[in-house]
Amino acid sequence: MISVDAHRATVTGLLGTAPVLRLPLASAAGLVLAEDVRAGISLPPFDNSAMDGYAVRAADVAEAPLTLPVAEDIPAGRVDGTKLEPGTAHRIMTGAPLPPGADAVVMVEHTDGGVTDVRILGTVVPGTHIRRRGEDVVEGTVALSAGTVLGPAQLGLAAAVGLAEVPVFRPVKVLVVSTGTELVDAPEPLRHGQIYESNSIMLASAIRALGGEAEVVRSVVDDVDEFRAVIEPRLADVDLLVTSGGVSAGAYEVVKDALTGQGVEFRKVAMQPGGPQGCGRWNGVPVVTLPGNPVSVLVSFEAFLRPALLAAMGHAGVDRQQVRARLTEAMTSPAGRRQFRRGFYTHSEGEVTGIVGPRGGPGSHLLASFTRANCLIVLPEDVVSVEQGDEVTVLLL
């Protein structure tokens, strides 16, 4: 057997880093910026009003209350700049450019709201309610740094500084294949000995949730020639092939039979669940083969594929948040294997550590218990038992 960490390093190394491409802002959500982008303009691009009100010279209203004539109306979007003459006011809207000569804005609530003349009810100091040019971003400076995950705020800033597209790491394209003659696609009725296929649904949704792209081939039967005939033509269009099932030590292990000697190495990883694993290249395309039981698939995705896919798409943080928690009940673990158990973690207010309890047993077929879990409890290879109240490592999902 090899260690979990060694297999993870191999899988991550297979994928490398995705190519960089420029995408329109609307298509870049959730992706990672590949290069620094600089602001083509300052934000704000001009001095403007932070309030609906009246642009004035502060010195002109020093003796308020008083009345001033309203010489101009300045809505947002007005492009001509008429100078504010001493002893007058310009009615101005939020975001509208401050007229030359003005050094303050009196908010409309501190006036009578007049249109031809306005009664100013209070004094202001220079700079009141003015947004200065470059206050947020200065033209030519880095607006967004390489490695930034592009969420709503980041894309909004990119648009605000005049960008129409951004350089990002391309989403990894994954071909997801589930194998097993026993698998049936719903809603086809089950016959005795058959089960509904679920692994491809889980894997594809997990990949897409990270920002990757997933093409699915469901329920390939346990026939080597058919497996190769169905999958091989699709390899040219993907960055990664991920299979589930067909990798154990028994008979009818179609993935193992089809890919042994083709550049894929099958190995036993020191973990529970998910021991039978494989990885390598087939026709130059990275391949990761997972076991067939559904919990093994999800745990394997968390341990190996999730960090590899995130790293390939430029993410700096690829690990789940890790905390320590006290167990609510005793647990056992096989010697020499890292055990991943589904659990439910609760933070204890005012306590350094939270509490965690297992959900379901260690069986790799117990998928329903995963839906009631919010974490994985990790027991190291050298631990065979833990007692109620012991502290354990928890990966928050």
Side-chain angles (χ1 to χ4, degrees), residues 279-298:
C279 62
R281 291 181 182 274
W282 182 25
N283 291 343
V285 177
V287 177
V288 175
T289 69
L290 308 179
N293 282 310
V295 174
S296 297
V297 167
L298 287 178

Side-chain angles (χ1 to χ4, degrees), residues 29-50:
L31 301 181
V32 177
L33 196 63
E35 305 163 9
D36 290 348
V37 294
R38 294 183 177 274
I41 61 170
S42 292
L43 288 183
F46 47 82
D47 292 353
N48 68 85
S49 177

Side-chain angles (χ1 to χ4, degrees), residues 174-191:
V174 186
L175 178 62
V176 177
V177 180
S178 61
T179 66
T181 303
E182 76 279 12
L183 302 178
V184 173
D185 294 340
E188 181 181 333
L190 291 178
R191 298 167 61 189

Side-chain angles (χ1 to χ4, degrees), residues 247-278:
V247 295
S248 296
Y252 305 106
E253 302 297 341
V254 65
V255 175
K256 195 171 187 179
D257 293 342
L259 299 184
T260 296
Q262 301 294 315
V264 178
E265 178 187 352
F266 295 89
R267 46 178 55 168
K268 191 79 169 178
V269 178
M271 64 188 292
Q272 185 195 56
Q277 300 282 340

Side-chain angles (χ1 to χ4, degrees), residues 8 49 77 90 99 147 149-150 167 189 211 257 279 288 316 344 361 372 379 393:
R8 169 174 161 163
S49 177
H90 288 185
V149 180
L150 296 172
D257 293 342
C279 62
V288 175
F344 193 87
R372 300 189 292 271
L379 301 183
T393 297

Side-chain angles (χ1 to χ4, degrees), residues 358-371:
R359 290 292 184 267
S364 58
H365 62 295
L366 301 174
L367 181 58
S369 59
F370 222 130
T371 68

Side-chain angles (χ1 to χ4, degrees), residues 161-233:
V161 298
L163 296 173
E165 58 183 26
V166 284
V168 294
F169 292 101
R170 178 171 63 73
V172 175
K173 300 176 182 179
V174 186
L175 178 62
V176 177
V177 180
S178 61
T179 66
T181 303
E182 76 279 12
L183 302 178
V184 173
D185 294 340
E188 181 181 333
L190 291 178
R191 298 167 61 189
H192 181 68
Q194 295 180 325
I195 59 173
Y196 285 122
E197 195 279 320
S198 59
N199 288 346
S200 68
I201 298 295
M202 294 191 299
L203 285 169
S205 62
I207 291 163
R208 290 167 184 152
L210 300 181
E213 299 176 2
E215 176 190 349
V216 174
V217 177
R218 301 182 68 182
S219 309
V220 178
V221 298
D222 294 327
D223 180 274
V224 169
D225 292 336
E226 182 168 341
F227 176 87
R228 289 176 176 164
V230 170
I231 305 307
E232 203 162 8

